[in-house]
Each structure stands twice: as C-alpha cells, then as structure tokens.
Amino acid sequence: MSETSSPEVHPAWLPPSAFRALGSRRVHVEASGPLADTVRAEVARACALFGGNASSPPAAADLILTLAAVPSSGSGDGFLLARRGAATIVIADGPAGLLHGLFEVVRRGEAAFAPDLADERHEPALGLRVLDHWDNVDVHPVMGQVERGYAGGSIFWHHGRLRNDLTRVRDYARLLAATGINAVTVNNVNVHRSETHLLTDRLGEVAAIASTLRPYGIRLHLAINFAAPVILGDLPTADPLDDRVRRWWRETTDRVFATIPDFGGYLVKADSEGQPGPFTYGRTHADGANMLAAALAPHDAPVRWRAFVYNHRQDWRDRSTDRARAAHDHFAPLDGQFSGNVILQVKHGPMDFQTREPVSPVLFAMPRTRVAVELQVTQEYTGQQRHVCYLPPMWSGVLAFRPDGDSGPALAERLSTRTPGGGVLSAVANVGDDPFWTGHPLAQANLYAVGRLAWSPGRDPAAILDEWITLTFPDAPRQALHDLMADSWLTYEQYTAPLGVGFMVRPGHHYGPDVDGYEYTPWGTYHFADRDGIGVDRTTATGTGFTSQYPHPWSERYESPATCPDELLLFFHHVPYTHVLHSGTTVIQHIYDTHFAGAERVADMRARWADLAGTIDPAVHARVTERLAEQLRSAEEWRDQINTYFHRKSGIPDAKGRTIH
Amino acid sequence: MSETSSPEVHPAWLPPSAFRALGSRRVHVEASGPLADTVRAEVARACALFGGNASSPPAAADLILTLAAVPSSGSGDGFLLARRGAATIVIADGPAGLLHGLFEVVRRGEAAFAPDLADERHEPALGLRVLDHWDNVDVHPVMGQVERGYAGGSIFWHHGRLRNDLTRVRDYARLLAATGINAVTVNNVNVHRSETHLLTDRLGEVAAIASTLRPYGIRLHLAINFAAPVILGDLPTADPLDDRVRRWWRETTDRVFATIPDFGGYLVKADSEGQPGPFTYGRTHADGANMLAAALAPHDAPVRWRAFVYNHRQDWRDRSTDRARAAHDHFAPLDGQFSGNVILQVKHGPMDFQTREPVSPVLFAMPRTRVAVELQVTQEYTGQQRHVCYLPPMWSGVLAFRPDGDSGPALAERLSTRTPGGGVLSAVANVGDDPFWTGHPLAQANLYAVGRLAWSPGRDPAAILDEWITLTFPDAPRQALHDLMADSWLTYEQYTAPLGVGFMVRPGHHYGPDVDGYEYTPWGTYHFADRDGIGVDRTTATGTGFTSQYPHPWSERYESPATCPDELLLFFHHVPYTHVLHSGTTVIQHIYDTHFAGAERVADMRARWADLAGTIDPAVHARVTERLAEQLRSAEEWRDQINTYFHRKSGIPDAKGRTIH
C-alpha cells in the first residue's frame, strides 16, 4: 500500500453547497487569535464561492461574529445567536464558541438569517466531547491498522509512522468542529509497543497531529500503556504507589505539556483483556488512576480510566459469574476514592456495544466520581459499515434513561450537572482513509450525530438525521432518505440476536451470525438456549443478581418478566420459547416474525435506494448500492441461521408456515 | 525470530544406541556410488561409537552389504536379508536397496545377527513413498509458515528464503530413509506467489535442498501453481490446451531437470479452495494433468494431481449438495483419460482427514487411472500434536479396506499391483524446526510409522509402534509406553465428534470443540443436529446418494443403519438420539458414555506418563508432561461442550446421572 491521498475525498456534511447562505452574505468577524483566524478563513472561503463579502464593515453586515465583552465562566464553547437590526449576530463566550457559532449558522442555512430569529443561547451540555480512535501505529497482525475499523487504514498513521500529508487530518478536524466535537484520542486503547513510544520519543509525531487539529478547536488525547514506566523508563515496576513510577509519570507528563501546551489528557484501558494495570501490583484501580491524575493535575487535564474490566477467561460452565456485573462489582466500591480529574469512562451497556443492552448501572452508581459514557460509532456489532444502521436512536435512549424512575433526571443531565466543567461523552470513531471517510457513506450520519448529541443530548435523533441529510445531500429528496435510515437500527435489531440476548456473532471479527459462536467460550457472553427456552437469568431471586445493581424502580422492573421490557427480556430472564411477550406473541414466534420482517425491510431499503439514483452523487450511490447488496445477503443469512437454529432446537413450527431451512 | 539451529535437536528414532548391534560388528560394504558412500559413512559412524570394524575383509565380516550381481527389474529399493555362514548379508537390488537394507539391520539390532536368521526378501509394496510438506516460503499471515504445521517453522525455509544451514534437512533425510520414505515435496500445495518462483528463478534454492536429500535416496518434488505460465511466463493464459502454455511447461520442466537430474515430479492442487486450475479455461482435470504429464514424460517423472476438489462455497440451506460426493463426481467420469504418468492423489476419506471417515470410494472407482492414497501425518483434526494420537491404526484400516468385500483384495494391494512401478502413498508431513521435530515427541511415532506402512502396508501398527519405542526409548519400559499410545486414536475419537459425524471443531484453526462452528458455513461440513436426532443422510434411498458411489457390498452395507458400522453411523444416516446402536446403547447415551470415558482415559494416560519419569530423557518427559496437561484440559472441554450441547438439544438425561453442565 502506498501512502496516497485521494484527490476525491468526499466532503461529507460540509460540501460547498452547505455554505451557500453564509457565503452570499456580508460578514463581519470581530475577534483575533488562532480560532478567530480559522473562522475568518471559513468565511472567506464561503464568500469566495458564493459572492459574499467576508470583511464587511459592521454597520453593513448581514452577519456579525464577535466575542462577548465579558469572558464566560463556562467552557467558552457557548454563544448567543440572535437578530439585531438587519443582522444576525453570534456573540461567543470564547474563541471556540465563535467557531461553534459559525457552524451553527452554516447548519441553519437561510434560516439563520430569518428576520424573526429569536435569541438563542447555545451551550454544550457536556464539556468534553471526545472521539477515541482505536488506531494502531503499526498494522496489527489480527486487528489490522484500525481495531474494529471498517473504513480503511488510519488517517493519522501509515505503516508504522506518521503520515507525511496531514491534509485529511485537518479536513477531519473541520468536520468534527462542525458537529461540536472538541477532542480526539489518536491511538488505540490497546496500546502496543510502538504506540507506547508516542508518549516519549515519538512525541514529535503527536505534536504534529495536535497542531493540525488545533485550528479547529480539537484537543489531542493519548491512550497510554500502564506499563510504560517499565517499557520506556527502564523501571523494574509500574506499581502506582512506587515513588520512582510516580516521578516518571510526572516528569513524562510535564514533557508532554512542554511540547503540546493544550494536550487533552490520557485514556487508559487497564487490567482488561490482557492489558497491564494496577492489579499486577496488588493495587486498586483508584490507585492507578490517581497516580496518573496527579501527574496531569498541574496541567488541569483529566485521565479517562475505562471501566471495561471483566474476566475474559471465564469458565462457561460456571453460571454464577456474570460479565454484566463485572464493571459495577469492580468500580462501585471505589466511589469517592478517585481524584477530581479522574473520569471513569463507562461503556453505555454492561456488556459490549451490543445492538440492544440495558444502560450500564455503573453510570449512576458512583455519585462521588466523575463518570463518562462511552458510545461506539464504529459499527463493530451493528453491521460494520456494510449495513445501514443509524445509531442515534439507541444513544438517545441511553442519554434519556432516567435512573431514578420516570420523574427523575435523565442520565445526560446527571452526567452534565454533577461534574465541574461539565460531563463527558466519549465515542469510538468510525473513520478511516476511505474516500467516503466511513466506508459506508451513510455511516457518516453516525459520526455527525454523535457530536450533535454530545452538545445537546436531548435533541431528537430524527431531527439530527434531517439536518445531516440536508447538509450532505442537498439535491436528494430528504424524506425518502430519512425513511430509509431513521429506523435502520431497529431493522438491524430485527434480523440479528433477539430480545436483548446479544452476541450470536462469529467470534473474532464479529460479523455475521453464529448462534453458538460464543456459547462455550471464556468470554462471558452466553444465551443458554436449550430445547425448552433461552435467555440469561440475571434476576436477584434466582439468577446472577445483576438486577440488584440498579436503583429502584429499575431493579424491580427488570427483576420480573411481567415488567421487564420485551426488548430486554432475554438479557434479564431465561424463559420458555412459549413465553408470551407484552406484544402478545410468543418468544419463538417473535423470533421468526422479526427475522422475516427484518430481511424484508432491508430488501425494501434497497429498492428505495435504487429509486434515488440521479439525485445522489453517482460515486456515493454506487458505493451504497454495493453495500446494500451485502446487507441484504447478510440479513437473509441472519434470518435463516437464526430461524433454523431455533426451529431445530424448539421444534415449534412458524405459525405462518414460512420457509425455515 | 532468528535462524538458529538448536544444538539439541532430538535424535528421534536414530539415537546412538540404535546402532549398538551394527556398530560392534565387523562390516564389509561392497559397492560404490553416492548411496554406497552414505552406507559406508553410516557404518563408520556406528563402528566408531561401538568399537566395530567398518572395513572388515569379507571373509572376516559379521555383516556384508553388497549389490546384487544382476540389477533388479523392480524399483531397486528391495534387498535380500540372509545368513551366509557366520555372516549376515544384505544383497540389494540397487543402491537404494543397500541403504534400506542397512536400516533394516539397524532396526533389527541384535536379532539381525541371529545364527538362525532365515532368508528374507524385502521389497516395498508401494514404489513412491512421499511426504508432502505444506511449507510456505514466506510466513503466511493466517496459516503461518507451515500450513497446518504444529512443530514450529519450516526446516527448509526461513523468513522468505532458503535456510543457510541445511544440517537439519540432511538429518531429516536420514531419519526418513530409515523408515522407507523415498521422496519429499518441499512446498505447500497452496502455492502462493513466492513459492511459484521456486520453479524458475528460485530453482537454485530447490536444487540445494535436493542435493541435501540425495545422499539418503530422497528425491525432491515441487508443488506447482497451475497459473505459473501467467505469473512467471508472462503468458495471457494458463489454458492447458494452449500451445504457448504447453511449450512453457515443457521448457520450464526441461530446465528443472537440467538443474536437478533426479527431480521427482510435480504435485498440483487445482480448482480447489481458491487455487487456479483448468476449470478457468473450460478444460477438464484430465486436460490439466495431461499437459503437465506431457512435460514430465521425457524425464520419466509423474505429476500427482489432487482429487480434493469440491464446492467450498456451498449454501448450507441446500441439503442436496454433498461434499462427500464431490471427488467421485468430479473424477470418476474421467477414468481412462489420464496419461500414464498422472497419479490422482486422493485423501483417504471423502471429506478431509477427520478422525473417522469411510474410505474414499474414489480410491477404487478408477481402474484405468493410477491412484495414490493421501494420509495426513500432521494432526490437523486429531489433536494438533498437543494430543497423543497414534494414527497408524486408522491408516492401517484404510490400507486394509477391501473394496469388493471381505474376500477381495485390500486397497493396498490394488494400489500396488495395478500400477507400473508400484503404487503411491503420500502423506502430509508433521515436522518443523522444533527441537523434537514434531512438537509432541510422541508424534514422531506417526512419522516413523507412515514410512513403515508405505513400505509394508500389511504390517501391524502395534508392531511398528514397538519397533519405534525400542529405537527411540531404549531405556523405557516398552509395554508401558505401548499401552499409553496404542489406542490413543480411539481415545481421541471418544472425546471428540461422535460416530463418524466429523468436524465440530473451531473454524479456521480446527483445534478444540465448537459443535455448530461449521454448521451454517459454506464448507459443506454439517451434522444437522436438531432436538430429535443427528447425522447426515447420505443414503441412496432418501439422502444424497453418496452410498451409491461404493461398489457392492459396501453400498448396501452403508445404506442401511442395520448393517452400517456403529462408528460410521452418523456419517451415513440421520437417526434419532434414541436409536439403538449395535453396541446395545442409544446414540445419546453413547455420546455421553464415550465422552466421559475418553476424558478419563486421558487422565489415565497422564498418570501413566508421570510414572515413566526417570526412564525417559528429562527434556522429552517434560515436554510430553506439558502436552498431556493440555490434552486433559482439552479433552474435558470437549467432553463438557459435546455433552452439554446434546443434553440441551435432546433433553435426555445421562442414564448414569453424571455431571452435564
């Protein structure tokens, strides 16, 4: 593979047409500094395209972008969007707010210039909105260059070294800034030997990326190897309570900030799936995290410490161990022990980014700990960017979850209000060096939406989708695209693992069905299907007790099949195939019905997409057409394997007499 | 990995002690030429060790090795072993016979010098006894350096080039010569780009190996890429009927023989699992094979053409396609169309080296075609040299199979009698650069025995095992080792896939259980287990018709469950779990019983081996101890997964109430 930058990189949600309204106006920018320069350059580019005036005097301007006279006490990301006289004005809390205000105007298009525009205060709900790239510097022999990457190689690294041409990194920063993202982690949480060196002797490469991201207000984070003092520092230990180790981290961190003054912070996967961690030295995760926090504290930067810790060498025969419990069992007892700049980063569900999981109870079990929710934009378990799967409805459900019951605050509010500086939303990125950024062009919508939700978790995913369609496909019929994509996550759920039971994927690469693929493995991911029934008994009365990790009323709701939502039934309960769901159908008939329906819906999506030919860039249309063919093949494979498996096992025929092989 | 030759390579079945009887004698060798020089050097080495006389005058000799006055009309491999006066004599048909006679004396030890030794005529039953190495020149990203190799890297190649030090190749040739093997294929039948070049610009490397093998009478074969004329010759086609292609093969082959005058021949995997072949050009396998045969004929060398052709992209939903039928369907109609120097190389079973399969009907379906049987010494499906699994009882069963019924000739006789120059036995090798050659030291027995069986297919595998033990472990109690190993194949069968159903292994690497691992894949390897029963209906009456590929009486025997042998029942029939076997137990109870018994027998093997400490070289003892621990872990995993799977599916409890998880 040669390192060539395609001249034909897709503009994603920032095609020239997106700047039409802005670019045809008279604009005045009143601010100075690097981010203001970026704003000015954006305005100039837009006006050059559409004949506007990028340096209008204020009195004649249609749009004025300016900094607030009094600096904000907040993040500096916020701004006021308002109408003053004949002009639209953006008054930003700080330089970053100026940039976000500009892109708000871009997203609005003509509507930003409506005479009756009411005053709007914009402020991100969450202060740190970060994308984690699971990029390997070297090409990993099994995982490739980007772990769980479905869009080609890394945009940062190429064959073990920094790319010569960082143009795409700059383009990427620009795209992210337009969604509200303000940070990026540039390497995999599984930190192999080469990546470990990014922290010290290869810091120059990291600084080059940071400089490329900086003009768009994106700060750079690094995933670090807990054993770095041993690997890089020639120390005999990485014990977090050892003075030499603490000094090594402090001095190393000081050097990082000396080189990259706005460095964002560390991300750590420790004692997880083979990564090193404090357990090696008989220390707690709080000991480990606090050591790194102490090194970062003088620089006012956080360490994000992942809660994804479980026994990945479980004995499948042992039904008392439950991977779903693991993060809570490990971390909840440590509440109150973490330093103020430790952020515990928790996957949104208790297992691992399945299509349907309950919300992880760790997210609201630790009131004295800063907690971040981690989403997965890269579609590891949701079709790997070969399937259309618009994920924001799932994410939105997580953010809107009310841990204390229907009258309590939503998770997003809890995350944002209780932490100084605002909460944190992390998401595993889905881009690569593919010309369409995300392999599947429609997977760009997930990347776009994760930024928008991080800024504003309460927004309707359907509205975000429309916003994205309007920007990306200005000439396509919006409703047709909307209809094709809006429920695609539910469609994916229909033809894959049923009723929240999860997995049933091919081990290793996780693509395509294999019902028993993980059933007798050490990974803790089981469905326990036998000839009579299926599901995992996680009740407190007769099962693993996972339900007791939830507060009232959820512990009770999940505990009983009578109140457990259908879509999570098999996550919490082992029931007979003849169990009748709230929907009125039996479990087995639900399996058959949803699998036939899901595959049919994919066939329908394909037909709808074919109808859009002519309204979509032919290259995009061709790529999506090719992916939809694979999605249909795969959906039919899922349908048939799942149906056959459960028909063979249950012996119960389809009530509608359809073909089960 | 650095290319270092361990100074501690295990001597296998040729430790110094094996030469005690010979080395303490007065020996006269009366012959000249390269192989006679080898014999002389062997004698000299032995006598130097044990005080004998390596150049005794004939009159005073205890042992005389000489060539027959009249050259043999046979292969030249045979010899007469006899007693003349006070001397044992070997009168060889040709130089190779001299070498084989020498090693017969070595194997006999003192018994070779018994005064009452009767005249014995030794002649190999099969003329070509070849080991095929699935060695990749480069390290394959998935398969590693040796495909299905479980003993380290290749002994020939290292990181893409020929090893500098070929000492081990010479040692290997010596070991093989001592078993009766007379040819080696040095590269994988899956011929990747680098290996393709062995035929032309890298022929010098091949010649260097050939020169190293030659002193021990081992001829070198190459696996070739059918598309070589395109890859190497810049031709637009590899069509076997195209004159340019035919000329390219002729000229290329001439150059091979100009460089390596005793070159052995070609081996071809065509139109199989993605390899190129004549189907691309609308030609038959006879067209393809005959083209290569024409190039080889002037040099009196054969092409071995593998019959392992099947659809590896089968739809699991399609129950009418049967991979077991494929080789016969493809090749039987071509009988009579192959040139005289084409050898059709047929895996011993119709599927793929499973622990238990019926004998492939292709082996006796083509009376006008030279057919070779292919065995697999490397333990791909039989424990991967982590499990003790002495395979000769299986091979012996294949060679002793009587296609025409109990009064007809055995397969081995048919293979050897109907072909000019004798039949062919091919076997996939199991060695690597491991210090013990085969990873598991006890797997050396399989390598030893395959040579002995190729020479003499009727020999009792138990006797070969004793011969091997005596040579390899002169100080160990023979019976104890014999008891540990002799039935280890049946033990392995007990705890793995039951009753001939096959597979149930983890896809890809094929180690360890995964009952449904291949059930919904395109590979054609299914068990069709449902809640009521299991097995593949391959009958002619109601199934795929595979039974009709057998001649009378086997077609009838296999057709009915009443006459089908228990151990192949599920290969030929789909039966209820409650079906009663000839053994008197039900299928489900047989599954439970054999799986409990198999794991118990492994525990017993481990205990027996522990008792042998002190009588075995400590390094060997330690390695085997480590492997037996893994074998026991794995056997228990097999036992529990298989039992749980079938208990969940059938709902039938174990009659003996043992623990099923």
Side-chain angles (χ1 to χ4, degrees):
Chain A
M1 284 176 286
S2 66
E3 181 183 345
T4 51
S5 188
S6 164
E8 296 291 351
V9 175
H10 188 258
W13 47 87
L14 293 182
S17 60
F19 293 85
R20 184 181 306 273
L22 170 70
S24 55
R25 288 326 201 267
R26 293 162 297 185
V27 186
H28 177 75
V29 182
E30 189 168 303
S32 60
L35 291 187
D37 290 346
T38 300
V39 169
R40 230 182 291 276
E42 286 288 340
V43 169
R45 169 147 77 166
C47 288
L49 278 170
F50 295 104
N53 179 349
S55 47
S56 165
D62 302 312
L63 174 67
I64 297 171
L65 296 140
T66 182
L67 286 179
V70 181
S72 150
S73 61
S75 63
D77 282 354
F79 58 90
L80 176 77
L81 177 69
R83 194 75 185 167
R84 294 290 181 268
T88 293
I89 59 165
V90 169
I91 305 175
D93 293 352
L98 206 65
L99 193 63
H100 293 301
L102 171 80
F103 283 117
E104 178 65 25
V105 170
V106 171
R107 287 189 297 265
R108 294 269 178 125
E110 282 302 326
F113 301 95
D116 57 348
L117 186 76
D119 284 16
E120 289 177 8
R121 171 79 202 151
H122 290 257
E123 176 77 40
L126 301 165
L128 176 56
R129 307 172 299 279
V130 56
L131 286 169
D132 296 335
H133 285 249
W134 288 354
D135 289 19
N136 300 317
V137 168
D138 293 319
V139 176
H140 187 277
V142 175
M143 291 295 176
Q145 202 193 356
V146 181
E147 182 161 331
R148 311 304 178 188
Y150 311 106
S154 166
I155 60 172
F156 305 115
W157 318 100
H158 185 76
H159 274 222
R161 55 185 180 76
L162 183 68
R163 284 180 175 274
N164 295 324
D165 181 355
L166 294 178
T167 309
R168 280 199 76 161
V169 175
R170 190 182 163 93
D171 290 350
Y172 180 57
R174 179 172 179 252
L175 287 171
L176 296 188
T179 73
I181 291 292
N182 65 354
V184 156
T185 311
V186 295
N187 64 311
N188 191 354
V189 289
N190 293 317
V191 185
H192 312 96
R193 194 155 276 264
S194 286
E195 300 97 281
T196 302
H197 286 266
L198 296 177
L199 192 63
T200 53
D201 43 306
R202 298 185 67 170
L203 189 60
E205 298 173 48
V206 179
I209 300 174
S211 299
T212 310
L213 299 170
R214 188 173 294 117
Y216 283 95
I218 311 284
R219 291 169 79 174
L220 183 148
H221 292 233
L222 272 184
I224 59 95
N225 184 331
F226 195 80
V230 177
I231 296 171
L232 303 174
D234 281 336
L235 292 181
T237 176
D239 180 351
L241 300 192
D242 186 291
D243 279 341
R244 294 163 298 177
V245 173
R246 299 177 72 83
R247 189 180 327 114
W248 187 88
W249 277 110
R250 211 162 46 238
E251 292 171 0
T252 299
T253 304
D254 287 347
R255 277 193 295 272
V256 170
F257 278 90
T259 309
I260 309 169
D262 63 348
F263 180 75
Y266 293 147
L267 172 63
V268 192
K269 175 178 180 178
D271 290 319
S272 171
E273 298 181 337
Q275 292 293 304
F279 285 172
T280 307
Y281 307 100
R283 310 302 184 188
T284 70
H285 280 270
D287 294 331
N290 291 345
M291 170 194 62
L292 294 166
L296 288 159
H299 309 284
D300 201 22
V303 54
R304 284 178 292 136
W305 188 270
R306 292 178 91 230
F308 185 56
V309 176
Y310 69 100
N311 177 9
H312 70 290
R313 296 192 176 158
Q314 189 179 329
D315 188 338
W316 60 267
R317 303 166 184 87
D318 165 24
R319 290 231 187 169
S320 67
T321 301
D322 180 2
R323 173 168 162 180
R325 292 187 56 123
H328 192 283
D329 285 345
H330 276 109
F331 287 95
L334 300 177
D335 189 31
Q337 297 182 28
F338 290 101
S339 302
N341 61 330
V342 172
I343 295 164
L344 190 67
Q345 182 160 310
V346 182
K347 290 189 179 189
H348 66 79
M351 295 297 283
D352 190 13
F353 297 137
Q354 298 304 290
T355 309
R356 178 79 74 169
E357 293 187 47
V359 176
S360 169
V362 182
L363 287 166
F364 35 84
M366 302 176 67
R368 292 174 292 165
T369 306
R370 293 180 68 183
V371 173
V373 64
E374 181 178 299
L375 306 174
Q376 192 182 44
V377 187
T378 192
Q379 293 171 230
E380 178 177 359
Y381 291 100
T382 50
Q384 303 197 350
Q385 282 137 254
R386 292 186 247 182
H387 295 227
V388 180
C389 190
Y390 182 61
L391 293 167
M394 168 166 64
W395 301 333
S396 196
V398 171
L399 295 166
F401 183 77
R402 296 180 189 277
D404 306 313
D406 304 340
S407 60
L411 176 64
E413 292 169 65
R414 289 184 52 142
L415 291 178
S416 70
T417 53
R418 75 142 185 279
T419 44
V424 181
L425 186 144
S426 304
V428 186
N430 68 341
V431 306
D433 66 0
D434 172 73
F436 298 101
W437 293 96
T438 50
H440 199 310
L442 302 186
Q444 291 175 6
N446 289 324
L447 184 63
Y448 180 84
V450 82
R452 304 300 295 132
L453 279 175
W455 183 283
S456 183
R459 276 200 76 197
D460 177 8
I464 297 175
L465 177 61
D466 285 342
E467 195 177 275
W468 173 78
I469 293 170
T470 304
L471 289 166
T472 308
F473 297 108
D475 303 321
R478 191 173 80 184
Q479 195 58 41
L481 263 168
H482 180 105
D483 292 348
L484 192 152
M485 293 178 68
D487 292 333
S488 51
W489 165 58
L490 294 174
T491 299
Y492 188 83
E493 181 183 37
Q494 283 191 311
Y495 59 78
T496 56
L499 296 164
V501 77
F503 292 90
M504 302 191 171
V505 294
R506 283 266 150 198
H509 58 63
H510 299 165
Y511 188 75
D514 183 353
V515 180
D516 275 2
Y518 275 109
E519 190 60 12
Y520 302 95
T521 72
W523 294 95
T525 53
Y526 314 118
H527 54 64
F528 300 122
D530 62 19
R531 72 195 325 248
D532 302 315
I534 179 176
V536 188
D537 184 353
R538 293 192 162 105
T539 64
T540 303
T542 57
T544 68
F546 172 64
T547 56
S548 70
Q549 293 186 344
Y550 286 86
H552 172 82
W554 293 102
S555 53
E556 294 81 5
R557 281 191 193 164
Y558 290 144
E559 178 74 8
S560 164
T563 49
C564 182
D566 279 352
E567 67 270 17
L568 290 171
L569 182 67
L570 302 184
F571 192 94
F572 286 105
H573 298 276
H574 186 92
V575 299
Y577 295 116
T578 51
H579 174 90
V580 178
L581 298 166
H582 301 306
S583 69
T585 186
T586 60
V587 166
I588 188 71
Q589 193 58 41
H590 173 91
I591 291 174
Y592 298 150
D593 287 348
T594 52
H595 284 77
F596 282 113
E600 269 168 40
R601 284 169 67 161
V602 175
D604 184 54
M605 283 161 73
R606 195 168 72 147
R608 285 165 187 261
W609 182 257
D611 287 345
L612 293 173
T615 69
I616 306 260
D617 168 12
V620 173
H621 196 271
R623 174 71 74 93
V624 174
T625 298
E626 164 213 314
R627 302 267 155 151
L628 278 165
E630 164 56 17
Q631 183 174 4
L632 182 57
R633 183 209 64 75
S634 177
E636 291 175 349
E637 182 67 30
W638 271 99
R639 174 195 67 197
D640 291 341
Q641 274 199 38
I642 296 280
N643 285 347
T644 296
Y645 180 98
F646 287 105
H647 182 256
R648 283 192 191 178
K649 212 149 200 171
S650 71
I652 301 172
D654 173 36
K656 296 172 188 163
R658 291 162 291 196
T659 299
I660 295 178
H661 297 271
Chain B
M1 287 176 287
S2 66
E3 180 183 345
T4 50
S5 189
S6 163
E8 296 292 351
V9 174
H10 188 259
W13 48 86
L14 293 182
S17 61
F19 292 85
R20 184 180 305 276
L22 171 69
S24 55
R25 283 339 198 258
R26 292 161 298 183
V27 186
H28 177 75
V29 181
E30 189 167 303
S32 60
L35 291 187
D37 290 346
T38 301
V39 169
R40 230 182 292 276
E42 287 288 342
V43 169
R45 169 149 75 167
C47 289
L49 278 171
F50 295 103
N53 179 351
S55 48
S56 165
D62 303 312
L63 174 66
I64 297 171
L65 296 139
T66 182
L67 285 179
V70 181
S72 150
S73 61
S75 63
D77 283 354
F79 57 91
L80 176 76
L81 178 69
R83 195 74 186 169
R84 292 291 181 267
T88 293
I89 60 164
V90 169
I91 305 175
D93 293 353
L98 206 65
L99 194 62
H100 294 301
L102 171 79
F103 282 118
E104 178 65 24
V105 170
V106 171
R107 287 189 299 263
R108 293 270 178 126
E110 283 301 327
F113 300 95
D116 58 347
L117 186 75
D119 284 17
E120 288 178 9
R121 171 79 201 153
H122 291 256
E123 176 76 38
L126 302 165
L128 176 56
R129 306 172 300 278
V130 56
L131 286 169
D132 295 335
H133 284 249
W134 287 354
D135 290 20
N136 300 317
V137 168
D138 294 319
V139 177
H140 187 276
V142 175
M143 290 295 175
Q145 201 193 356
V146 181
E147 183 162 330
R148 311 305 178 188
Y150 311 106
S154 167
I155 60 171
F156 305 115
W157 319 100
H158 185 77
H159 275 222
R161 55 184 179 77
L162 183 66
R163 285 180 175 273
N164 295 323
D165 180 355
L166 294 179
T167 307
R168 280 199 76 161
V169 175
R170 188 181 163 93
D171 291 349
Y172 180 57
R174 180 171 178 253
L175 287 171
L176 295 188
T179 73
I181 290 293
N182 66 353
V184 156
T185 311
V186 296
N187 65 312
N188 191 354
V189 290
N190 293 316
V191 185
H192 313 96
R193 194 156 276 264
S194 286
E195 300 97 280
T196 302
H197 286 267
L198 296 177
L199 192 62
T200 53
D201 42 306
R202 297 185 67 170
L203 189 59
E205 298 172 47
V206 179
I209 301 174
S211 298
T212 310
L213 298 170
R214 189 173 295 118
Y216 284 95
I218 311 284
R219 290 169 80 172
L220 184 149
H221 292 233
L222 272 183
I224 59 96
N225 185 330
F226 195 82
V230 177
I231 296 170
L232 304 174
D234 281 337
L235 291 181
T237 177
D239 181 351
L241 300 192
D242 186 291
D243 280 342
R244 294 164 298 177
V245 173
R246 301 177 71 83
R247 188 179 329 114
W248 187 88
W249 277 110
R250 212 164 44 239
E251 292 172 359
T252 299
T253 304
D254 288 347
R255 277 194 296 272
V256 170
F257 278 90
T259 308
I260 309 170
D262 63 348
F263 180 75
Y266 293 147
L267 172 63
V268 192
K269 175 177 179 178
D271 290 319
S272 172
E273 297 180 338
Q275 292 294 303
F279 285 172
T280 308
Y281 307 101
R283 310 302 183 188
T284 70
H285 280 271
D287 294 331
N290 291 344
M291 171 194 64
L292 294 165
L296 287 159
H299 309 285
D300 201 22
V303 54
R304 283 177 294 138
W305 189 271
R306 293 177 89 228
F308 186 57
V309 176
Y310 69 100
N311 177 9
H312 68 289
R313 296 192 176 158
Q314 188 178 328
D315 188 338
W316 60 267
R317 304 167 184 87
D318 165 23
R319 290 231 189 170
S320 67
T321 301
D322 180 3
R323 172 167 162 181
R325 292 187 56 123
H328 191 284
D329 285 346
H330 276 109
F331 286 95
L334 300 177
D335 189 32
Q337 297 182 28
F338 290 101
S339 302
N341 60 330
V342 172
I343 295 162
L344 189 67
Q345 182 160 311
V346 183
K347 289 189 181 191
H348 67 78
M351 295 298 282
D352 189 13
F353 298 136
Q354 297 305 291
T355 308
R356 178 77 75 169
E357 294 187 47
V359 177
S360 170
V362 182
L363 287 166
F364 34 85
M366 302 176 67
R368 290 173 293 163
T369 306
R370 293 179 68 183
V371 173
V373 65
E374 180 177 301
L375 307 175
Q376 193 183 42
V377 188
T378 193
Q379 294 173 228
E380 178 177 359
Y381 291 100
T382 51
Q384 302 195 352
Q385 282 136 254
R386 292 187 247 182
H387 296 226
V388 180
C389 191
Y390 182 61
L391 293 166
M394 168 166 63
W395 301 334
S396 195
V398 171
L399 295 166
F401 183 77
R402 295 178 190 278
D404 304 313
D406 305 340
S407 59
L411 177 62
E413 293 169 65
R414 290 183 52 143
L415 292 177
S416 69
T417 53
R418 74 142 185 278
T419 44
V424 181
L425 186 144
S426 304
V428 185
N430 68 340
V431 306
D433 66 359
D434 171 73
F436 298 101
W437 294 98
T438 49
H440 200 310
L442 303 186
Q444 291 175 5
N446 289 325
L447 184 62
Y448 180 83
V450 81
R452 304 301 295 135
L453 280 175
W455 183 283
S456 183
R459 276 198 78 197
D460 177 9
I464 297 176
L465 177 61
D466 285 343
E467 194 177 275
W468 173 79
I469 293 171
T470 304
L471 288 167
T472 308
F473 297 108
D475 303 321
R478 192 174 80 185
Q479 194 58 42
L481 264 168
H482 180 104
D483 292 348
L484 192 152
M485 294 178 67
D487 292 334
S488 53
W489 166 57
L490 294 174
T491 300
Y492 187 83
E493 181 184 37
Q494 283 192 311
Y495 60 77
T496 56
L499 297 165
V501 78
F503 293 91
M504 302 193 170
V505 293
R506 284 267 150 198
H509 58 63
H510 299 165
Y511 187 75
D514 183 353
V515 180
D516 275 3
Y518 276 108
E519 191 60 13
Y520 301 95
T521 71
W523 294 95
T525 52
Y526 314 118
H527 56 63
F528 299 123
D530 63 18
R531 73 195 325 249
D532 301 315
I534 179 174
V536 189
D537 184 353
R538 292 193 163 104
T539 65
T540 303
T542 58
T544 69
F546 172 64
T547 56
S548 70
Q549 292 186 345
Y550 286 87
H552 171 80
W554 293 103
S555 54
E556 294 81 6
R557 281 190 193 163
Y558 290 144
E559 178 74 7
S560 165
T563 49
C564 183
D566 279 353
E567 67 270 16
L568 289 171
L569 182 68
L570 302 183
F571 192 94
F572 286 105
H573 298 277
H574 187 93
V575 299
Y577 294 116
T578 52
H579 175 90
V580 177
L581 297 167
H582 302 305
S583 69
T585 186
T586 61
V587 165
I588 188 71
Q589 192 58 41
H590 173 91
I591 291 174
Y592 298 151
D593 288 346
T594 52
H595 284 77
F596 283 113
E600 269 167 38
R601 284 169 65 161
V602 175
D604 184 54
M605 283 162 72
R606 194 166 73 146
R608 286 165 186 262
W609 182 257
D611 288 344
L612 292 174
T615 68
I616 306 259
D617 167 14
V620 173
H621 196 271
R623 174 70 74 93
V624 174
T625 298
E626 164 213 315
R627 303 268 154 149
L628 278 164
E630 164 56 17
Q631 184 175 1
L632 182 57
R633 183 209 63 77
S634 178
E636 290 176 349
E637 183 66 30
W638 270 100
R639 174 195 67 197
D640 291 341
Q641 274 199 41
I642 296 280
N643 284 347
T644 297
Y645 180 97
F646 287 105
H647 181 257
R648 283 191 191 178
K649 212 149 200 171
S650 71
I652 300 173
D654 173 35
K656 298 172 187 161
R658 291 162 292 194
T659 300
I660 295 178
H661 297 273

